[in-house]
Amino acid sequence: MAFISSGYNPEKPMENRITDIGPRHYEEFYPEVIKKNKGKWSHHEILEPGVMVHVGESGDEVYTVRVGGARLMSTSLINEICDIADKHCDGHVRFTTRNNIEFMVDSKDKVEPLKNDLNTRKFAGGSYKFPVGGTGAGITNIVHTQGWIHCHTPATDGSGTVKAAMDVLFDDFQKMRLPAQLRVSMACCLNMCGAVHCSDIAILGYHRKPPMIDHEYLDRLCEIPLAIASCPTAAIKPTKVTLEDGKEVKSVEIKNERCMFCGNCYTMCPSLPLADTQGDGIVLMAGGKVSNRISDPKFSKVVVAFLPNEMPRWPSMTDAIMKMVNAYVQGANKYERLGDWADRIGWEKFFEVCELDFTHHLIDDFRQQAYMSWRQSTQFKF
Amino acid sequence: MAKHETPLLDQLESGPWPSFVSDLKHQAEIRAKNEEGVEFQIPQDSVEDLLGVLELSYKHGRTHWKHGGIVGVFGYGGGVIGRYCDQPKLFPGVEHFHTMRVAQPCGKYYKTDFLRQLTKLWDLRGSGVTNMHGSTGDIILLGTTTPQLEEIFYTLTHEMNQDLGGSGSNLRTPADCLGESRCEYACYDSNALCHFLTNEFQDELHRPAFPYKFKFKLDACPNGCVASIARADMSFIGTWRDGIKVDQDAVNKYVENDPAYPPNAGAHKDGNWGPFDIEKEVLSLCPTKCMKFENKTLKIDNANCTRCMHCINTMPRALKIGDDRGLSILVGAKAPILDGAQMGSLLAPFVEVNPENDYEAITEVIENVWDWWMEEGKNRERLGELIMRQGFQKLLEVTGIDPMPQHVAYPRTNPYIFWKEDEVEGGWERDVAEYRKHHLR
């Protein structure tokens, strides 16, 4: 393949260079009905799972059909989204924060043809390309991180765990039978590129073995002081090591019992890899939320300390998630988020009704904030 | 015939949820056939090798990507993340497989001509694999080689009027909810403010000058659809100061279970919850119990309302946000790395949102916070951690914001107040000899 120039001249990189222009202006992309009614919307209604109408003070209506999608997406699929948007929506489409795709039309009679079109499109393997749903008191798309498809620090995969989870949760993507919305999020390591620490249910990749030390290369590849400074528990200190050939090199020493497996040192120093087949797996957290509705936003709590990576469908993980969802559906009141329900019945009951084991790992021992989570009361349930 | 056997990944093709494996396989076939006659600038079989290396990770339970090297476009310190495969002999098509972040339009609305331009560019110069979108909000282009970076940037800026997003110790691409564009709860125009801040701080976004990453996220109401309170160093959450507007006729339609007035805008339609009960579903769930419904009239004691949105969400045709609108600024949220997760803490309870003066009330807070963090923040210290280390009082001092009870959930439970000398009458210099005249040793 011959190199094709864009017009860029590597000899003169500053020639005609355009920088600091930011993204395209949002108004260029608004559908007409959005442009016309912006800031003047009266109300909305979810007509059925995945289909909403927003009504303007003007009486104008915009109908939105929301579909789920894998956030890992090929250009051919994006082109197909464009075909659908051209056919039904005057060439407009939008994506949501949770990786859903929204097709908007300006009258009710355009909704059914759009929905039918979306529902009939399937991948060769049989899965939906554009499943309609993800609204109201149900489970919407999972926000997630890269995982093994493109990252150097993951303890599990992103796309695969999400596919496995959404397959078992699919009925609730297309229904609105839950007490409130239930947000599931996934981050493939503690760095949490996708912050999952305030989700109703969070899937988190976690390492459990301290880094290996590649002494032979460490001083050549890493800034040792940076690696030492990166450790939140001060487990790393400088040392000198004699290699097998008798050569003495500068390296580091790790106090393994202080390691919390965050991988922060590996981010600073590639000679400290910690990925491991047996060591790596999944932590499940639950009961967080970001909305200010009724109760304050809150952090998710660790409810399963570890599950092994079981490729390709992580059955122990999906079982534990289904147990939580089923117990929540059985026990929570209308409008009650998972964390509010757990707070109301007490976490001791949460473990009982979700049939999850409580182990010593779930008692916080990380710094001062640990104390806040211990029970300082005689009020508890047997 | 696929280049690599993928028996584990193949099991992710079944089931109803869109299969990324099916999508990638389809993409690999399209590249192999190349009916469009694209002169691929990176290996044609890169998607097949991507599937191959992912299958290997499924077999090993470990990633096969190495650390990023320092790659980028001239003059920018962010927007490109270097990525290399650790099995280049087995998967040469993804040996160099860098990520580019492209700044998303606010509200994530698109026209298809733009998306088609982007897919054409990415088919020519990259793998054709993307994330729509990444966690921070950018369009993510996954997989290209170093020589293509400047070419892609040139086409983006010259032909598409489009810039890269942020990465590294920069301002990350700000992200917003759709706001006033399609939501009656929006207390300000989040698309407009997000676009303004993104453009106003292009230098901070492209050229790393910060101790660590910094995120702006904009939620136009307290429902928080972009989760700003949990994940933004500075979150802008819409609010109002006057009363909730009540349409009493519409309230009664809800009470009468009029089918045109479904509670919570119809969000519970598939549950067996029985008829709507305003007492049980609204009044008793109000966190401050500031509402009464008597004689077919809903009364709200607005002075005691904390604007949690529950009643408005539940009866959207009857209750509307107030008219004296602005936003609250919360600071310091972050995921657990390093010292544990932090939620955003309220810094400015009400700030005017005024595009006429370039949002000066907002940029003033931003600049004061940045001056302090850039001066005092340690390498890789997020704003929330600096606030923990130097104290919330210090944050108020540097931003010139007066302390008020709204800043705390409750006052401190220890009396260890670090009084400053100038706060104590007479200062700290005293004469011990004078003291001893009255207090014998």
Side-chain angles (χ1 to χ4, degrees), chain A residues 29 82 84-93, chain B residues 110-113:
Chain A
F29 296 145
C82 291
I84 298 167
D86 284 341
K87 189 168 154 199
H88 298 274
C89 315
D90 293 325
H92 295 272
V93 63
Chain B
Y110 291 97
K111 276 188 78 174
T112 53
D113 55 357

Side-chain angles (χ1 to χ4, degrees), chain A residues 260-363:
Chain A
M260 62 187 240
F261 320 104
C262 72
N264 207 41
C265 57
Y266 180 57
T267 294
M268 300 308 288
C269 173
S271 295
L272 297 170
L274 69 170
D276 187 89
T277 306
Q278 282 81 37
D280 296 353
I282 302 270
V283 173
L284 291 179
M285 300 173 77
K289 69 193 269 277
V290 296
S291 161
N292 290 275
R293 185 176 187 174
I294 303 178
S295 63
D296 287 348
K298 45 176 145 275
F299 293 127
S300 311
K301 283 85 181 166
V302 179
V303 293
V304 178
F306 184 79
L307 293 168
N309 276 324
E310 299 165 324
M311 291 70 76
R313 281 198 169 266
W314 283 269
S316 303
M317 175 194 81
T318 54
D319 282 356
I321 292 172
M322 284 313 289
K323 281 181 187 170
M324 285 190 269
V325 173
N326 290 334
Y328 169 63
V329 170
Q330 292 297 317
N333 296 330
K334 192 177 180 186
Y335 305 109
E336 200 168 42
R337 293 287 290 265
L338 190 141
D340 291 331
W341 164 66
D343 284 346
R344 176 170 61 80
I345 64 171
W347 285 89
E348 63 272 44
K349 284 287 168 195
F350 173 90
F351 283 93
E352 189 183 309
V353 297
C354 294
E355 297 169 28
L356 297 174
D357 290 333
F358 188 87
T359 67
H360 68 275
H361 308 104
L362 305 182
I363 300 173

Side-chain angles (χ1 to χ4, degrees), chain B residues 41 101 218 286 329 335 431:
Chain B
Q41 299 291 293
R101 292 187 182 166
L218 301 91
C286 170
I329 298 179
D431 182 353

